[in-house]
Amino acid sequence: MPVLRRLRAFLRALHASIVMVLGVSSFTLLCLVWLPFAWILRPLLSDGAESGAHGRRIGRRFIHQGFRLYLGFLRLFCANRFDLAALDALRNTPPQVLVANHPSLLDVLLIVSRLPNVVCVMKAGLMNNILFGAAARMAGYIRNDGPLEMILQADAALAEGAHVLIFPEGGRTVEFPLDPFGQSAALIARRANVSIQSLLIGFSSPYLGKHWPLWRRPELPLRWSVRMGACYPRPTDVTACTRQMERDMRMALSAQLGSSIS
């Protein structure tokens, strides 16, 4: 019996290692395939205001389809399970600021795979990344290193009809269920005169979270979900709105985490 247990443990570890390599390599391949097209198309589709907006929509549509394909690959070959249908309700809604918790590197993929017209606020380092920086710039994604420029670009994206996705924790969660919020989401919503929709990302394991090294094996199967949280009208008091969002999401995520453990 001890031999059988060790054999089963070895096979589980081997399977998890294969899944990890498949997941990372397939995402890298997906980025490499789209990279030359993003380099070539961006200057061709950014000449003039109307063509620039059209080019950004094309860039967002390609990222959406690419992420959708990638999650399908993870579902078929990498023991991932996704419950993302709640996001479909946002496909035809007016532009909003979307805020979500940020437990993993996969969070953007989960949301964008279901919504074809989302502009993400990203860390400047990711925007400069050779693998997906060109695609992100073509899609009109926004750097987070200049607060005023970030708010102005988000306002322009909302005026074009896109949703703007921001992770108000400022990075992946360090202290679960939620880190303190910054005020950028409320500032953007107030300036653009739009509402804020909160999204609650659930997970079976904090795979690729802040404390999870890239080459550490996942705990299979991996389960991911995105639920709709509260919707907040255009804020008049940025500080009060930010505190209310953080309080509501912390309570909802604590209850969600507790139910998943039990």
Side-chain angles (χ1 to χ4, degrees):
M1 291 298 292
V3 174
L4 288 176
R5 281 198 297 269
R6 285 197 294 270
L7 178 60
R8 284 195 294 267
F10 170 77
L11 292 175
R12 283 196 299 269
L14 178 62
H15 179 222
S17 297
I18 293 171
V19 163
M20 177 184 65
V21 173
L22 277 176
V24 173
S25 59
S26 58
F27 183 75
T28 303
L29 178 62
L30 181 67
C31 292
L32 288 174
V33 168
W34 176 236
L35 181 61
F37 293 98
W39 275 339
I40 294 168
L41 290 175
R42 186 182 177 226
L44 295 177
L45 295 172
S46 61
D47 204 11
E50 185 175 344
S51 60
H54 182 60
R56 287 188 289 274
R57 284 193 294 271
I58 290 175
R60 293 195 284 270
R61 174 68 69 168
F62 269 95
I63 291 177
H64 160 71
Q65 293 292 351
F67 285 175
R68 195 176 184 91
L69 178 67
Y70 179 65
L71 293 193
F73 177 86
L74 294 183
R75 184 183 294 110
L76 286 175
F77 300 106
C78 297
N80 278 246
R81 306 291 180 262
F82 301 102
D83 180 5
L84 311 175
L87 290 168
D88 294 343
L90 296 174
R91 289 177 69 96
N92 298 312
T93 58
Q96 291 178 301
V97 176
L98 308 178
V99 298
N101 56 311
H102 198 7
S104 167
L105 285 175
L106 294 180
D107 300 332
V108 171
L109 282 71
L110 301 177
I111 296 168
V112 174
S113 71
R114 304 296 289 215
L115 301 176
N117 195 20
V118 173
V119 171
C120 301
V121 177
M122 299 176 60
K123 286 190 173 182
L126 292 175
M127 291 288 286
N128 296 331
N129 185 282
I130 190 170
L131 271 181
F132 42 84
R137 291 190 293 272
M138 180 180 174
Y141 285 12
I142 301 166
R143 301 166 63 101
N144 71 348
D145 55 346
L148 178 58
E149 186 66 19
M150 176 183 68
I151 292 170
L152 293 176
Q153 288 184 28
D155 186 28
L158 289 160
E160 287 181 1
H163 294 300
V164 169
L165 172 62
I166 185 168
F167 297 104
E169 296 170 272
R172 282 173 289 168
T173 308
V174 176
E175 297 291 338
F176 287 95
L178 203 64
D179 292 334
F181 279 11
Q183 296 188 349
S184 298
L187 286 167
I188 292 168
R190 185 175 69 175
R191 177 179 175 84
N193 195 28
V194 298
S195 59
I196 303 172
Q197 175 64 56
S198 62
L199 304 173
L200 307 172
I201 298 176
F203 53 92
S204 61
S205 168
Y207 179 57
L208 296 180
K210 191 69 173 179
H211 302 302
W212 196 292
L214 182 61
W215 294 110
R216 178 182 168 188
R217 289 191 302 264
E219 300 169 7
L220 301 177
L222 291 169
R223 295 182 175 85
W224 309 90
S225 68
V226 180
R227 308 290 187 204
M228 303 284 280
C231 186
Y232 304 88
R234 185 254 186 193
T236 54
D237 186 326
V238 168
T239 300
C241 179
T242 301
R243 288 176 178 169
Q244 185 65 49
M245 284 193 299
E246 181 183 337
R247 185 162 52 246
D248 293 346
M249 289 182 68
R250 187 180 299 277
M251 290 177 61
L253 289 167
S254 296
Q256 182 173 287
L257 186 61
S259 64
S260 67
I261 292 173
S262 60

